[in-house]
Amino acid sequence: MKNVAVIGAGTMGNGIAHTFAQSGFKVQLIDISEASLQKGMDTISKNLDRMVAKQKISEADKQDTLNNITTYTNINEGVEYASLVVEAATENIDLKLKIFKQLDEACGEDTILASNTSSISITQIAAVTSRPEMVIGMHFMNPVPIMKLVEIIRGYNTSDEVTQTIMELSKTLGKTPTEVNDYPGFVANRILMPMLNESIETLYNGVAGVEEIDTVMKLGMAHPMGPLQLADFIGLDVCLSILNVMYDGFKNPKYAPCPLLVNMVRAGKLGVKSGEGFYDYSESRKAETVAKQFKK
């Protein structure tokens, strides 16, 4: 397996492409937008520059990584020779089902189809294909080149052989694969998102301010990043989407998103990506200034 196609050139997609390419794989990075592809490649180049500056890789390693990536705006062309396709499009079920139907028709019968979804059912995604035993979840963590974990999600019909192949493949990337079963939110987000949501509820109910909540969790629970800062980093729209998937899947009110989170997403306050969430990122991408709305 030396040819890997990645669908989506956004934050997760370009990180996945970077990781495979740096490990010697030929990567076909696919996005419908040429501008998104260029932005993704610029991000990969900048991240590699940081690694060169820290002497983790050489300039030659950087060039080899970039040379391993070819960009496409046409899915059928991009996946033609792929042994594995990793879908990293927006966390939208309708979009993912559409992509997997197209991949099923365009890819060779031996091609493994993986989704980087953080919450959507692999079984549901696999059901729109003619190869459900070849469909699996590869949930990478952000930032992909740095974070070691890959959550490997078995759909109801995912074969043992495909699961073992992807587990071993993840190890060749320098990752630690962890196998989980297919339930809403899997493990990572089933535990993480209720914590983030409860942190937002704590703010919403006036128990404490943004900095105070984050400080308690950082200093009291040894979290490297406060929950409100982490929610901003993930994207409040992504957090809302995942909570809605879990709420719909379990029908349990403990997964219902906080009204404050819903309103912030409606208002376009999405965190780092929009320049404001619980913190103001207009001058720095670091969570140094509490957003005006939450200042005391």
Side-chain angles (χ1 to χ4, degrees):
M1 186 180 292
K2 280 297 176 184
N3 284 286
V4 176
V6 179
I7 310 292
T11 299
M12 296 304 295
N14 71 60
I16 293 167
H18 171 164
T19 300
F20 273 103
Q22 192 175 329
S23 296
F25 292 84
K26 296 298 182 182
V27 178
Q28 294 80 50
L29 181 59
I30 306 164
D31 199 292
I32 58 172
S33 165
E34 189 66 55
S36 294
L37 286 169
Q38 186 58 56
K39 183 178 179 181
M41 291 302 298
D42 289 345
T43 298
I44 293 170
S45 184
K46 289 176 184 176
N47 288 338
L48 289 167
D49 283 338
R50 292 191 187 96
M51 297 178 78
V52 171
K54 294 178 180 179
Q55 298 184 331
K56 291 185 176 181
I57 62 171
S58 67
E59 184 65 33
D61 293 330
K62 172 194 169 182
Q63 290 305 318
D64 286 344
T65 299
L66 292 174
N67 290 339
N68 280 337
I69 305 173
T70 307
T71 60
Y72 293 84
T73 54
N74 184 290
I75 284 184
N76 290 5
E77 292 177 5
V79 303
E80 185 174 0
Y81 301 108
S83 300
L84 168 68
V85 180
V86 182
E87 171 272 318
T90 303
E91 194 74 348
N92 177 290
I93 182 60
D94 293 331
L95 175 61
K96 290 187 186 294
L97 296 183
K98 179 181 178 182
I99 289 172
F100 271 80
K101 284 180 182 177
Q102 185 173 354
L103 290 176
D104 188 43
E105 295 172 359
C107 294
E109 61 181 17
D110 294 330
T111 303
I112 297 173
L113 305 181
S115 177
N116 181 60
T117 179
S118 56
S119 61
I120 294 169
S121 169
I122 298 301
T123 302
Q124 184 178 3
I125 290 172
V128 302
T129 76
S130 62
R131 63 182 88 190
E133 73 284 354
M134 304 282 287
V135 179
I136 195 166
M138 289 186 78
H139 179 206
F140 290 85
M141 303 294 136
N142 186 28
V144 180
I146 296 172
M147 299 293 278
K148 291 292 185 182
L149 177 68
V150 184
E151 230 180 357
I152 307 298
I153 303 101
R154 291 187 67 140
Y156 189 84
N157 292 302
T158 306
S159 72
D160 291 340
E161 181 182 359
V162 166
T163 302
Q164 190 59 36
T165 296
I166 296 303
M167 292 284 284
E168 293 302 320
L169 176 67
S170 298
K171 292 175 185 177
T172 69
L173 300 175
K175 304 299 185 186
T176 301
T178 303
E179 182 182 338
V180 304
N181 290 320
D182 187 21
Y183 292 96
F186 314 133
V187 171
N189 282 319
R190 183 169 179 170
I191 294 170
L192 175 63
M193 286 300 154
M195 185 193 77
L196 299 188
N197 196 45
E198 191 62 31
S199 301
I200 299 169
E201 285 277 3
T202 303
L203 176 66
Y204 180 57
N205 292 328
V207 178
V210 170
E211 287 183 305
E212 289 75 12
I213 291 169
D214 278 354
T215 297
V216 167
M217 296 305 290
K218 286 189 289 186
L219 301 186
M221 310 304 165
H223 289 197
M225 187 183 295
L228 299 176
Q229 179 186 358
L230 179 56
D232 275 354
F233 178 73
I234 293 169
L236 301 190
D237 54 336
V238 175
C239 293
L240 178 60
S241 175
I242 296 169
L243 284 164
N244 280 332
V245 167
M246 292 196 295
Y247 183 57
D248 290 343
F250 291 117
K251 300 296 188 290
N252 189 324
K254 74 178 181 179
Y255 298 115
C258 176
L260 175 58
L261 174 62
V262 174
N263 279 342
M264 290 179 72
V265 172
R266 285 174 177 166
K269 308 298 184 181
L270 308 180
V272 177
K273 70 173 77 175
S274 70
E276 184 180 335
F278 296 106
Y279 293 87
D280 185 335
Y281 302 95
S282 57
E283 296 185 5
S284 171
R285 287 177 63 87
K286 296 180 180 179
E288 297 174 328
T289 305
V290 173
K292 184 178 180 180
Q293 176 186 353
F294 301 113
K295 284 187 175 180
K296 296 180 179 179

